[in-house]
Amino acid sequence: MARSKQTWTGAGSAAGYVLRYLTPMRRLMLDIVGGEKEADRALAILVAHLVKAGFSGHDKGRLRDFLVRGIRSAAKAGYDEAIGERGKNDSLEIAEPKEKPAPPKMELAQVESPQWRAYWRDGILQRSWRSLERYQHARRYDRITHPHPAGDEAPREDLIHDVLRVAMSYPNESLESWAGRVTSSTGRKVKPEEAQNQLELARIRFAQQIADEVAQTLETPDPAMIQSEIKALGLGKAFAGVKVQA
């Protein structure tokens, strides 16, 4: 179901790999600790640990489970650090001691928390959209630099990101309207039949990108595990009527 053989458990750099998912991590950390400064400090503690110790033998199962446990530990470490700093200030008799830090809301950092799953799902989708956009740009560049002989042109995929975005943003509009919107945003005349063709290609490519992204967050990315994670994250709609490569 997924083409990529790269998984998080085989990453050469734990910290570098994890930074791909900084956005959902930061959203959850903000919920737990309450402030941006505190969240960024806690995340810095987590990343520093990964730089030093890697996955420390805990590279099993799903990446999102590993990360939520790491977020819990980092939030606690950040809180303990803040309490320690406040204690130092008190001992030095600073006139205006810092306000006592609020304890982290650890109950929000659960493996199967709906909130964490939603953040993680959004992160997978964002990465899939970026991958689709990069592919679209590559196709445009390829068409310019390596034109095909007349009558031997590969299927056009130089608008797949734009067409899919429009179709999802305006689901109740007609194909003609989508074509008009893409024409306005790209400056290239797009007929309804071309918009339809590129939309079909886009749905296949987007579903494949999601499958690839999910696979890279699993220890064992076999088809059953990938399908199970897609279902758990509520991403199954992207695969309706679409067949992706094995």
Side-chain angles (χ1 to χ4, degrees), residues 48-155:
H49 171 76
L50 290 172
V51 169
K52 181 179 179 180
F55 292 122
S56 302
H58 298 290
D59 50 347
K60 306 293 181 185
R62 300 181 303 200
L63 176 59
R64 65 182 172 98
D65 296 346
F66 169 84
L67 287 180
V68 79
R69 289 191 289 266
I71 288 169
R72 285 175 59 89
S73 296
K76 183 179 185 305
Y79 175 72
D80 291 343
E81 182 182 89
I83 290 292
E85 288 295 324
R86 186 174 186 275
K88 291 179 183 178
N89 292 340
D90 290 344
S91 66
L92 293 174
E93 298 182 353
I94 294 177
E96 295 183 3
K98 294 181 179 180
E99 184 179 347
K100 184 177 181 180
K105 300 176 182 178
M106 293 299 191
E107 69 276 8
L108 299 179
Q110 302 298 326
V111 170
E112 291 302 338
S113 160
Q115 199 166 357
W116 173 234
R117 271 205 311 268
Y119 292 160
W120 191 254
R121 174 183 182 274
D122 289 347
I124 293 292
L125 285 173
Q126 287 173 9
R127 286 184 57 80
S128 299
W129 277 114
R130 287 197 295 269
S131 295
L132 189 69
E133 188 173 24
R134 285 195 298 270
Y135 184 82
Q136 172 181 273
H137 289 326
R139 289 291 295 131
R140 288 179 182 175
Y141 180 77
D142 183 64
R143 288 178 60 81
I144 294 171
T145 57
H146 300 90
H148 292 268
D152 187 34
E153 188 172 6

Side-chain angles (χ1 to χ4, degrees), residues 1 3 55 137 175 236:
M1 189 173 188
R3 301 161 299 178
F55 292 122
H137 289 326
L175 191 60

Side-chain angles (χ1 to χ4, degrees), residues 182-197:
V182 176
T183 295
S184 297
S185 64
T186 63
R188 175 163 81 76
K189 178 63 178 177
V190 181
K191 296 181 179 180
E193 53 267 29
E194 182 184 6
Q196 177 65 51
N197 178 259

